[in-house]
Amino acid sequence: MADGVEPPPFDNDEDEVKEDDDLFSDAKEKPSSPETEKSPEHVYSRPPVIDKSSDDEDKDEDEDLFKGGSSEIKLDSDEDAEEENITKKTPEPKPNAAVGATAKESTPQIPISQAVTAKTKVAAPSLKNDDVAESSDDKEVYEIDIKITETLKMGDGMSAYIVYKIVSKTTNPNYRRPENAVLRRFSDFLGMHAKLADKHVPLGIIVPPAPEKSVIGMTKVKMSKEESGSSDFVERRRAALERFLIRTAAHPTLASDPDFIEFLAKDGDLPKSTSTSALSGAGVMRLFHKVGESFEKITLKVDESDEWFEEKQQQVEALDIQLRKLHTNIETLSQHRKELSQSTAVFAKSAAMLGNVEEHTALSRALSQLAETEEKIEQMHKEQAEADFFVMAELMKDYVALMGAVKDVFHERIKTYKLWKDAEATLGKKRENKAKLEMQNKTDKISQAKAEIEEWEQKVEKGQEDFETISKNIKKEMVRFEKLRVNDFKESVIKYLEVLMDNQEKLIKYWETFLPEAKAIA
């Protein structure tokens, strides 16, 4: 009997499979069982939420969400984008891919930068694009060109110091004159930066850092007999200060700050900044303050409720580590190229001396020509080493410092949040105290308690407003910072490659010129 029965056709099975597929797709749109609601796909596709609530509340929220026919959990920051993704239907259900794409869309990329090339003109046109204009509250961007044209050594011995001649041209109407030329000391730069940082960092604005003090470098300059102070240290500091001014002037808010305008346009000397001296009492207090802030950054941790800030802080940390590594490697490369230049010079001298004692005429001439070629190559290696340092190594050094400025504004946000929450805690205690007084019928103290509650309610309101303001400003600053950083790196890399290609072309030309001399040896 079994032999006479034919197996059922496979077409029916395929239809059943298709129906099963349709069944699961319907189940995705309208879950009909608890098993469907609690599938692993929903568990793992849920984006992380830092604010914690009770287990019962979480379960209720999950059930409400899935009963609404949606397989995704909405983020507060991108509800509209999430709804668009949920309404889109695909032939095959892929909940994990859909949620992954949604999370990717809801996470903006990290932003950071300015110009560090040899050009001293601020890249004002790059600030006029739509994204950067929005990040600066639609403030009008004015062109400004800043150059430090001279360095002058004033005084003798340990009392000597360097002054820098700053020439600026601008279309900003806040300046009294379109062109200005002033002399400023290094301490003036530090004082101006300190004023800008005190005013703008608490608001979430990234203030470019000033170059660091170097006691050893300045001591060498003071003890040297060069009146112009034109040493390598002074030239490097001059270039660093110029880049600092360019970056500051590129920011619409900082460029119109009264302290920055006074620095560039005020005739004569500025009031002496006593807090910038490393050996002064204020300098020692500043050092202790920095140590305390560093310790506070390590110990002060909060549960981040905004995914954007949590991701950006992680990206900033990762970028800072890689920039430090790249800076160290480029400095090593520059040092090796300097050593190669020195070794090439020694080889050129040896070849020239050998050519002088060689009796064979053609060989002697070839050795002399080789010595001349090696001297040219030695100069080429020296120029390339300088390009390694000034174009790339200094760029990385500047951005290591800029990452510190970015971390500072993030830390200010945490401090603002802490002040806000501390005010809320104090307000709660004041209200509890008022309730106790009412229960004890101490009417004489109730009025004072009410006044204190009103005072702390205002502080809580202001704390929340400050926190929302600094969060909004940081997001705008990061967008602007990232766009300028990309442009900055692009310009520097292009310039560095142009120098490399030019030197390689010179090298080929040098050896092509020498080759006939080598072939002429008979």
Side-chain angles (χ1 to χ4, degrees):
M1 180 176 179
D3 296 335
V5 177
E6 295 182 358
F10 290 99
D11 294 339
N12 294 336
D13 295 340
E14 293 178 357
D15 293 338
E16 290 176 3
V17 172
K18 291 180 180 179
E19 291 176 0
D20 291 340
D21 290 341
D22 295 336
L23 207 70
F24 285 110
S25 64
D26 293 338
K28 173 184 179 297
E29 295 177 1
K30 296 181 180 180
S32 58
S33 65
E35 288 79 2
T36 305
E37 293 180 0
K38 299 180 181 179
S39 63
E41 294 175 348
H42 294 291
V43 173
Y44 295 118
S45 63
R46 178 173 180 176
V49 179
I50 296 175
D51 287 340
K52 298 181 179 179
S53 59
S54 65
D55 295 337
D56 296 337
E57 291 176 352
D58 288 340
K59 292 180 181 178
D60 294 341
E61 291 174 1
D62 291 342
E63 292 176 1
D64 293 338
L65 282 171
F66 292 120
K67 287 179 181 178
S70 170
S71 63
E72 302 178 13
I73 298 176
K74 300 179 182 179
L75 296 175
D76 295 338
S77 59
D78 261 337
E79 292 183 356
D80 296 336
E82 293 282 348
E83 291 176 359
E84 292 178 3
N85 288 333
I86 294 171
T87 54
K88 291 182 180 178
K89 297 182 180 179
T90 57
E92 298 180 6
K94 295 181 179 179
N96 286 343
V99 175
T102 306
K104 185 175 181 181
E105 290 179 3
S106 64
T107 305
Q109 298 298 319
I110 183 174
I112 310 177
S113 139
Q114 287 104 355
V116 186
T117 61
K119 300 177 182 179
T120 55
K121 185 175 181 180
V122 176
S126 66
L127 297 175
K128 293 182 180 179
N129 63 61
D130 296 337
D131 295 331
V132 177
E134 290 178 2
S135 67
S136 57
D137 293 332
D138 297 332
K139 291 184 179 180
E140 186 174 357
V141 179
Y142 301 99
E143 292 185 1
I144 182 168
D145 180 81
I146 300 176
K147 294 180 181 178
I148 299 181
T149 58
E150 295 181 52
T151 58
L152 304 172
K153 184 178 179 181
M154 312 294 288
D156 296 319
M158 292 304 294
S159 61
Y161 59 92
I162 303 295
V163 294
Y164 303 87
K165 184 177 181 180
I166 307 169
V167 178
S168 60
K169 299 178 182 179
T170 182
T171 59
N172 192 330
N174 293 319
Y175 290 75
R176 290 182 298 174
R177 298 183 299 270
E179 297 185 17
N180 295 277
V182 294
L183 295 176
R184 295 288 181 258
R185 298 180 59 171
F186 182 71
S187 58
D188 296 330
F189 287 85
L190 298 183
M192 180 265 291
H193 171 263
K195 292 177 181 178
L196 294 180
D198 290 342
K199 284 192 289 185
H200 298 287
V201 171
L203 301 177
I205 295 177
I206 301 172
V207 178
E212 297 179 352
K213 295 177 70 69
S214 176
V215 177
I216 297 176
M218 274 307 300
T219 301
K220 291 180 179 179
V221 172
K222 290 179 179 181
M223 300 306 295
S224 67
K225 297 181 180 179
E226 300 178 13
E227 294 183 358
S228 61
S230 57
S231 62
D232 291 341
F233 170 78
V234 174
E235 174 56 27
R236 292 180 182 182
R237 174 172 279 187
R238 183 207 65 79
L241 290 172
E242 188 175 89
R243 293 193 301 270
F244 162 65
L245 292 179
I246 290 174
R247 284 195 174 93
T248 306
H251 197 294
T253 301
L254 302 180
S256 298
D257 187 275
D259 290 317
F260 186 69
I261 294 175
E262 180 186 50
F263 179 85
L264 291 179
K266 183 179 179 181
D267 297 328
D269 297 334
L270 295 176
K272 188 175 181 180
S273 179
T274 57
S275 62
T276 59
S277 176
L279 301 178
S280 65
V284 174
M285 293 300 296
R286 187 174 66 253
L287 178 62
F288 280 110
H289 180 66
K290 287 184 178 180
V291 172
E293 278 196 344
S294 300
F295 181 75
E296 186 181 40
K297 289 178 182 179
I298 297 173
T299 57
L300 184 58
K301 300 293 182 181
V302 297
D303 292 334
E304 183 58 70
S305 59
D306 192 326
E307 279 190 30
W308 188 92
F309 280 97
E310 184 178 18
E311 181 179 349
K312 290 299 167 287
Q313 290 184 40
Q314 294 174 357
Q315 292 177 353
V316 166
E317 290 290 344
L319 184 59
D320 182 36
I321 293 172
Q322 297 304 321
L323 284 172
R324 291 178 184 275
K325 290 181 179 179
L326 185 56
H327 174 244
T328 301
N329 293 334
I330 294 177
E331 280 195 331
T332 303
L333 174 64
S334 178
Q335 184 61 34
H336 286 333
R337 222 183 285 270
K338 287 180 180 179
E339 294 174 358
L340 177 61
S341 175
Q342 296 171 359
S343 300
T344 304
V346 173
F347 174 71
K349 292 180 181 178
S350 300
M353 293 176 66
L354 181 59
N356 290 335
V357 299
E358 178 59 50
E359 295 181 355
H360 193 284
T361 305
L363 181 56
S364 176
R365 184 169 59 249
L367 289 172
S368 299
Q369 186 68 23
L370 176 61
E372 293 179 3
T373 302
E374 290 292 344
E375 287 177 356
K376 295 177 181 178
I377 295 174
E378 178 259 335
Q379 183 63 28
M380 184 202 70
H381 287 319
K382 186 177 180 181
E383 292 175 357
Q384 185 60 54
E386 291 179 353
D388 293 339
F389 181 82
F390 285 104
V391 179
M392 295 302 295
E394 290 291 85
L395 174 69
M396 300 305 152
K397 182 180 179 181
D398 288 348
Y399 272 96
V400 168
L402 279 166
M403 298 313 296
V406 173
K407 291 179 183 180
D408 287 342
V409 296
F410 278 93
H411 181 60
E412 283 293 331
R413 177 176 174 271
I414 294 177
K415 289 168 62 177
T416 303
Y417 177 82
K418 186 176 181 299
L419 290 174
W420 172 30
K421 292 303 176 182
D422 288 346
E424 283 187 343
T426 304
L427 176 60
K429 292 179 181 179
K430 296 294 182 182
R431 286 173 175 170
E432 291 178 0
N433 183 46
K434 177 176 173 291
K436 290 180 180 179
L437 293 175
E438 289 176 347
M439 293 177 62
Q440 297 173 1
N441 293 326
K442 295 183 178 180
T443 56
D444 55 331
K445 296 183 179 180
I446 291 178
S447 60
Q448 181 181 354
K450 288 181 178 180
E452 291 179 352
I453 290 175
E454 292 178 358
E455 178 185 353
W456 281 100
E457 284 177 345
Q458 294 177 359
K459 290 183 179 180
V460 169
E461 185 178 349
K462 184 179 184 303
Q464 182 178 3
E465 181 181 349
D466 291 344
F467 179 73
E468 292 174 353
T469 300
I470 192 173
S471 299
K472 180 181 178 182
N473 288 343
I474 289 176
K475 289 185 177 181
K476 291 181 178 180
E477 284 290 292
M478 292 299 286
V479 172
R480 175 186 172 278
F481 187 29
E482 176 66 7
K483 290 198 172 285
L484 294 177
R485 181 179 67 88
V486 171
N487 292 336
D488 202 357
F489 271 72
K490 176 184 175 181
E491 291 179 6
S492 297
V493 170
I494 290 175
K495 182 176 180 180
Y496 182 67
L497 292 177
E498 288 175 348
V499 174
L500 277 173
M501 293 172 63
D502 184 54
N503 286 333
Q504 293 302 315
E505 290 175 358
K506 288 181 180 178
L507 184 62
I508 293 173
K509 190 178 296 184
Y510 293 155
W511 289 121
E512 287 178 346
T513 304
F514 170 72
L515 186 59
E517 290 289 342
K519 291 181 177 180
I521 300 174

